[in-house]
Amino acid sequence: MDLPVDEWKSYVFQKWSLLPKSIQVTISTAETLSDIFLHSSLLLQPEDEMFLQNLSRGYLVEKDPNAPLFYREEGNKKFQQKDYMGATVLYSKGISHSRPHTADISLCYANRSAALFHLGQHEMCLKDIMRAQMHGYPERLQPKMMLRKAECLVTLGRRQEASQTISDLESSFAAKPTLAAAQFQILQTNLCRLKMKAQEKESLTETFPAALTKALEDMDLKGENGQVPSASSSVSLRTDPLRGRYLVATKDILPGELLVKEDAFVSVLHPGEMPPLRHLESKWDTRVTNGDLYCHRCLDHTLATVPCDGCSYAKYCSHDCMQQAWDLYHSVECSLGGLLLTLGVFCHIALRSTLVARFEDASNVIRKLCGEIRNKDTCSPERETLVQTLTCDLGGESENKGKMLEPPVPGCDLNGKYESNYNAVFHLLPHTGNHSPEHRFLCALSVSALCRRLEAASCYKPAAAVPPGSGSELDVWGVAMLKHVLQLQCNAQAITTIQHTGSKENSVTNSRQVRLATGIFPVISLLNHSCSPNTSVSFISTVATVRASQQIEKGQEILHCYGPHQSRMRAAERQQKLRSQYFFDCSCAACQNEKHSAATGPRWEAFCCRSCGALMQGDDVLICGSTSCTESVSRDHLISRLQDLQQQVGMARKLLRNDKPERAIQLLLGCQRDAQSFLSGEHSLVGEMEDDLAQAYAALGDWQKSATHLQKSLRVVEVRHGPSSVEMGHELFKLAQLFFNGFAIPEALNTIQKAEKVLMVHYGPWNDEIQELQKMKSCLLDLPPIPAGPSVQGPNVFFR
């Protein structure tokens, strides 16, 4: 979803192939982004715009007046099945299609409040009750909802408000003798029960997770960095002809120290699996996507989204977030939802970046853009007038008009300060010459089409420095957007989160790291790559934190992994990935060491001899590494066996997903016996099978056997990723949960301590898993010694 949809890409590539050779050469050899943009924009024809518009119409992003009833009825079905989470999402979809102050939106809010109540989300429930009332919830249905409100207040320990609500309800009943006798009796019974409950609750408070603002405040950087405000005083910005801009340690740094804390300049929520309507069986999609569960501005997880008043796509965690998004960028984006989904996340970020830049002093950037647009071959008299106007308006004193003072390091201001602002974003490298001509044409034509739509909608207001009404201001920002689209291939940062799925009834759920959004972080973009980095990056909301994952000596470079990690890919695969996406060959220590490693390859991919168990070595034909053994076998034969085994393991996982753990165990034990004859004990698949067996036994409540298998999996994870890796931390977290559920108190406390130590280095104290570990430890320390016995329901175990 980073780039445009396949249909538009194919259309543009075909258009490129049919262009006269002379035009292809002109665009291919263009020296500046302005030349590429201006030549390409001249080639955008009405039929091209019509084709793109038809693609955009495939996304249901406008409010459909018939959708709220459909989603409310589907939500009611889930509610009756006691699937309150599914009901909540469907009611949210109905809310997003409803107009303000209508029966549709008030009914959807009220129904969602009931689902949230059953999920134990009492604060959210109260907010939805307030929203339902604000949008005109029918008077005849108020008593039932007000009972729910009173019960929430009682549960939250807000006794005074609860008493007032109960009193209001009593007055309401007395004033409505027309209520049906049966209905009155039910309501009166519930009211009496609620009054008794309120009297029993002398002092009751609800425990909430630490507030996000508190977490962010507690993540303080060490010392003030006058050069890079988003970094700690432990690092310094340097520049080098070969390495470009980079960060180095100004002192010895310990593992876990916070080095960078940076809010994204802009971020765009990844739409997830959101196919256009032509690919769906029904007009309305009932599947859950990221857009249903996360705020489109701050990326906070929320079950009670607040929709944009103008479209059905953008949803927020609160009215405040909705208003901030509207003021910054959504007032322009609102009518362009289908087009932005068609053109991809990179185009969306490019547009949003220029919209946010309107609120900064972007004068230096505009001068640069105008300088690029002024070209003797392509600059019309009208455009030359625009350039002169812009540079004149931005010039200040007369002797400086039209001139620019360059800072010593690109992206810094004239005082040498590198901040997370549009100036820094603009100076990220687009690597224009490394992109293929076809790709540059695709990006330029896509941005041109976006500019045409903006111009037609008259919804784009340029930066204050650009004179309104000049007619060509979008050309200036079109060049900027093209630059951003090309920058993003090397500078986009995936914002990730951990999502959980599975069978909570069995205390076992699956968890995986997923890409939630894409953002621009100018300071993090300063970090160079290593396949074995010395930092870890994590996210809270839109804020990225970079911590030292190991000791870093003074003068050593601060390094970040761009994706290809030595524990996940071989050197050749990593080099290919880095060369194709980032346009460089890696020469980090991990790559250099792997060149001189033995022919066995990574230990987590190693085959073993079926006769003596020693590791096999070689290329096409593998021979036993033991000097006393003559066994040999073709690599293709072993790879074929590995693929068959992986297929069997996949079948076992399907059984697990279908709640058939006994059959999964039988299949996995057979797979283990087969693996012993040709796979190293440290092979990644061997560790995965142990993890699958741990999950299966946990589903049966056999915590001891589950922990035994997970400990074996841990040994493989340690070999592949290292004892202090974030992967090891997650596995230790799972093992702690298993020991906790099995009441193995000494083992649980010991594992909790190990997991905390590792996870603190990578995430800091406000990570969800660390918070859960601390709760488990507090619970165990308060318990008297308990002998091992039958299983007891504990926290869910998150298997990856």
Side-chain angles (χ1 to χ4, degrees):
M1 297 300 293
D2 289 335
L3 297 176
V5 297
D6 290 339
E7 294 94 329
W8 177 243
K9 284 193 289 187
S10 299
Y11 180 90
V12 174
F13 290 154
Q14 183 180 23
K15 182 180 179 72
W16 170 264
S17 68
L18 296 175
L19 290 176
K21 191 69 175 178
S22 59
I23 295 179
Q24 287 187 359
V25 170
T26 299
I27 296 175
S28 300
T29 57
E31 295 182 357
T32 65
L33 284 170
S34 60
D35 289 341
I36 296 171
F37 175 76
L38 296 173
H39 283 303
S40 300
S41 63
L42 293 174
L43 296 171
L44 183 66
Q45 300 300 312
E47 57 267 26
D48 305 330
E49 296 180 74
M50 184 61 67
F51 181 82
L52 184 58
Q53 186 175 354
N54 289 335
L55 291 176
S56 304
R57 285 173 180 156
Y59 292 97
L60 183 59
V61 293
E62 298 176 350
K63 292 187 183 293
D64 187 331
N66 298 314
L69 177 61
F70 168 81
Y71 283 121
R72 194 167 74 248
E73 289 177 344
E74 292 298 308
N76 291 343
K77 293 176 187 176
K78 293 284 187 183
F79 191 94
Q80 290 164 5
Q81 297 165 4
K82 301 188 186 304
D83 180 3
Y84 301 118
M85 183 67 75
T88 298
V89 172
L90 289 168
Y91 292 141
S92 295
K93 287 179 180 287
I95 291 168
S96 70
H97 279 279
S98 303
R99 292 289 177 185
H101 307 294
T102 61
D104 281 332
I105 196 167
S106 67
L107 290 169
C108 284
Y109 271 130
N111 286 13
R112 192 173 74 180
S113 76
L116 290 168
F117 177 82
H118 284 282
L119 289 171
Q121 301 293 327
H122 300 107
E123 288 283 3
M124 289 185 184
C125 175
L126 288 173
K127 289 179 181 179
D128 267 6
I129 289 172
M130 181 187 67
R131 290 164 183 150
Q133 292 175 319
M134 182 180 69
H135 288 283
Y137 189 64
E139 186 69 24
R140 60 185 173 80
L141 300 175
Q142 288 277 354
K144 188 175 181 180
M145 190 171 71
M146 295 309 291
L147 275 171
R148 189 181 307 134
K149 176 181 178 180
E151 188 144 5
C152 283
L153 292 169
V154 170
T155 304
L156 293 171
R158 291 156 61 175
R159 297 181 60 211
Q160 188 172 355
E161 294 174 76
S163 298
Q164 182 61 52
T165 304
I166 291 170
S167 177
D168 292 344
L169 272 168
E170 289 179 318
S171 301
S172 176
F173 288 169
K176 293 181 180 178
T178 56
L179 279 174
Q183 182 186 10
F184 180 83
Q185 185 175 0
I186 292 171
L187 291 172
Q188 193 71 26
T189 301
N190 286 335
L191 183 58
C192 291
R193 176 186 57 79
L194 190 56
K195 288 176 69 175
M196 291 176 61
K197 185 177 179 181
Q199 292 167 1
E200 293 169 0
K201 301 279 184 179
E202 289 297 331
S203 59
L204 197 155
T205 57
E206 187 176 49
T207 302
F208 293 98
L212 175 63
T213 52
K214 172 68 174 171
L216 294 176
E217 287 170 3
D218 286 355
M219 293 191 308
D220 289 332
L221 292 165
K222 210 172 199 180
E224 184 178 345
N225 191 321
Q227 187 184 25
V228 186
S230 298
S232 80
S233 59
S234 302
V235 302
S236 177
L237 174 61
R238 304 283 175 82
T239 184
D240 179 89
L242 294 177
R243 287 184 288 182
R245 298 167 297 177
Y246 62 100
L247 297 179
V248 297
T250 58
K251 66 178 190 62
D252 291 342
I253 296 172
L254 296 175
E257 183 176 329
L258 183 61
L259 303 179
V260 175
K261 173 186 168 185
E262 181 181 20
D263 199 354
F265 177 74
V266 296
S267 62
V268 169
L269 186 73
H270 196 270
E273 294 182 8
M274 190 177 176
L277 294 176
R278 60 184 176 276
H279 295 160
L280 297 175
E281 295 180 3
S282 170
K283 181 179 180 181
W284 298 299
D285 191 7
T286 58
R287 292 175 305 171
V288 182
T289 67
N290 286 342
D292 298 313
L293 299 174
Y294 294 89
C295 176
H296 285 226
R297 192 197 75 82
C298 72
L299 305 182
D300 275 1
H301 183 272
T302 178
L303 295 177
T305 54
V306 178
C308 167
D309 289 341
C311 69
S312 65
Y313 178 65
K315 309 178 187 75
Y316 305 94
C317 65
S318 65
H319 185 271
D320 287 344
C321 259
M322 179 181 71
Q323 192 60 52
Q324 288 179 49
W326 182 265
D327 293 341
L328 283 171
Y329 49 79
H330 192 64
S331 57
V332 174
E333 296 178 358
C334 185
S335 63
L336 304 174
L339 177 62
L340 293 171
L341 287 168
T342 304
L343 293 180
V345 170
F346 284 1
C347 266
H348 197 162
I349 291 178
L351 171 63
R352 189 168 290 183
S353 296
T354 62
L355 292 173
V356 171
R358 299 176 301 170
F359 299 91
E360 292 187 8
D361 178 13
S363 56
N364 285 343
V365 174
I366 295 173
R367 285 197 193 95
K368 277 185 171 292
L369 288 169
C370 294
E372 290 184 10
I373 291 175
R374 184 193 283 114
N375 181 289
K376 63 181 181 181
D377 296 324
T378 61
C379 192
S380 64
E382 294 80 6
R383 187 163 287 115
E384 180 64 32
T385 300
L386 170 64
V387 170
Q388 290 176 354
T389 304
L390 289 173
T391 52
C392 180
D393 285 354
L394 299 170
E397 297 298 327
S398 58
E399 63 266 27
N400 290 328
K401 286 185 178 180
K403 297 182 180 180
M404 285 191 63
L405 295 174
E406 289 291 344
V409 179
C412 292
D413 61 21
L414 294 178
N415 296 317
K417 182 180 286 189
Y418 188 94
E419 297 188 88
S420 186
N421 57 18
Y422 188 68
N423 184 51
V425 170
F426 184 81
H427 283 89
L428 297 174
L429 294 178
H431 298 281
T432 309
N434 294 108
H435 296 282
S436 69
E438 295 89 345
H439 181 75
R440 296 199 297 266
F441 183 65
L442 168 67
C443 296
L445 208 67
S446 298
V447 170
S448 298
L450 180 56
C451 288
R452 294 268 183 95
R453 278 289 299 275
L454 289 166
E455 191 171 27
S458 300
C459 59
Y460 186 90
K461 295 180 181 179
V466 180
S470 60
S472 300
E473 64 269 10
L474 273 172
D475 285 343
V476 176
W477 293 103
V479 175
M481 283 191 272
L482 174 57
K483 182 170 189 173
H484 298 324
V485 172
L486 296 177
Q487 284 172 336
L488 286 164
Q489 179 163 322
C490 295
N491 292 284
Q493 175 67 53
I495 300 173
T496 59
T497 188
I498 300 295
Q499 286 185 350
H500 305 296
T501 58
S503 175
K504 292 187 178 180
E505 292 78 6
N506 291 322
S507 295
V508 178
T509 65
N510 294 315
S511 65
R512 61 192 179 105
Q513 187 181 63
V514 297
R515 174 180 158 192
L516 177 60
T518 300
I520 300 182
F521 297 85
V523 175
I524 292 179
S525 289
L526 296 173
L527 300 178
N528 281 327
H529 167 80
S530 171
C531 299
S532 180
N534 51 22
T535 61
S536 284
V537 180
S538 60
F539 302 91
I540 296 180
S541 184
T542 57
V543 176
T545 60
V546 180
R547 295 179 182 273
S549 59
Q550 61 191 54
Q551 187 163 335
I552 304 174
E553 296 180 359
K554 180 180 179 180
Q556 189 176 346
E557 185 173 358
I558 311 298
L559 297 167
H560 166 47
C561 180
Y562 291 179
H565 197 282
Q566 69 164 349
S567 67
R568 302 186 192 102
M569 300 180 188
R570 287 187 177 224
E573 187 181 355
R574 300 198 304 268
Q575 294 289 3
Q576 191 276 330
K577 173 73 173 175
L578 292 167
R579 197 176 296 122
S580 62
Q581 182 172 350
Y582 297 98
F583 313 120
F584 70 87
D585 292 315
C586 183
S587 58
C588 71
C591 289
Q592 294 299 319
N593 293 338
E594 202 165 324
K595 285 181 181 179
H596 306 99
S597 63
T600 55
R603 293 160 67 185
W604 39 271
E605 286 185 357
F607 296 109
C608 70
C609 176
R610 64 177 181 177
S611 300
C612 67
L615 296 182
M616 304 294 285
Q617 300 179 4
D619 294 320
D620 295 337
V621 176
L622 301 178
I623 60 173
C624 181
S626 172
T627 56
S628 60
C629 182
T630 60
E631 191 74 36
S632 66
V633 65
S634 74
R635 180 180 293 275
D636 288 343
H637 174 71
L638 293 181
I639 289 176
S640 178
R641 288 190 64 186
L642 177 62
Q643 290 170 343
D644 291 341
L645 185 60
Q646 288 170 330
Q647 189 175 7
Q648 292 293 309
V649 172
M651 292 171 61
R653 289 171 182 163
K654 187 175 181 180
L655 290 170
L656 270 177
R657 289 194 298 271
N658 293 331
D659 293 325
K660 298 176 180 177
E662 296 94 342
R663 291 178 58 188
I665 288 170
Q666 292 178 354
L667 185 53
L668 286 167
L669 291 175
C671 290
Q672 274 193 325
R673 289 190 292 271
D674 186 22
Q676 288 171 359
S677 65
F678 75 105
L679 292 183
S680 159
E682 297 168 347
H683 196 284
S684 60
L685 186 59
V686 171
E688 290 170 17
M689 286 189 288
E690 295 289 0
D691 191 88
D692 293 334
L693 282 165
Q695 181 177 350
Y697 282 114
L700 295 173
D702 192 335
W703 308 113
Q704 185 175 354
K705 279 189 178 179
S706 179
T708 299
H709 284 286
L710 191 60
Q711 284 173 305
K712 295 177 181 178
S713 172
L714 246 73
R715 289 194 282 272
V716 178
V717 171
E718 183 174 352
V719 167
R720 181 170 184 175
H721 299 284
S724 301
S725 64
V726 66
E727 291 83 1
M728 194 67 177
H730 291 312
E731 294 299 304
L732 287 167
F733 171 72
K734 284 169 20 183
L735 183 61
Q737 290 179 307
L738 292 175
F739 283 137
F740 181 92
N741 284 349
F743 278 90
I745 296 176
E747 294 87 347
L749 290 171
N750 182 48
T751 308
I752 287 171
Q753 184 179 7
K754 291 179 181 178
E756 279 185 313
K757 183 178 179 181
V758 174
L759 291 173
M760 281 284 285
V761 168
H762 297 278
Y763 293 116
W766 290 105
N767 172 258
D768 289 343
E769 291 185 351
I770 292 175
Q771 295 287 301
E772 181 68 25
L773 288 167
Q774 291 173 352
K775 290 177 185 176
M776 286 193 287
K777 179 167 63 176
S778 177
C779 179
L780 291 172
L781 292 174
D782 289 341
L783 288 175
I786 300 176
S791 62
V792 179
Q793 185 77 21
N796 291 338
V797 184
F798 300 123
F799 281 87
R800 295 172 191 277

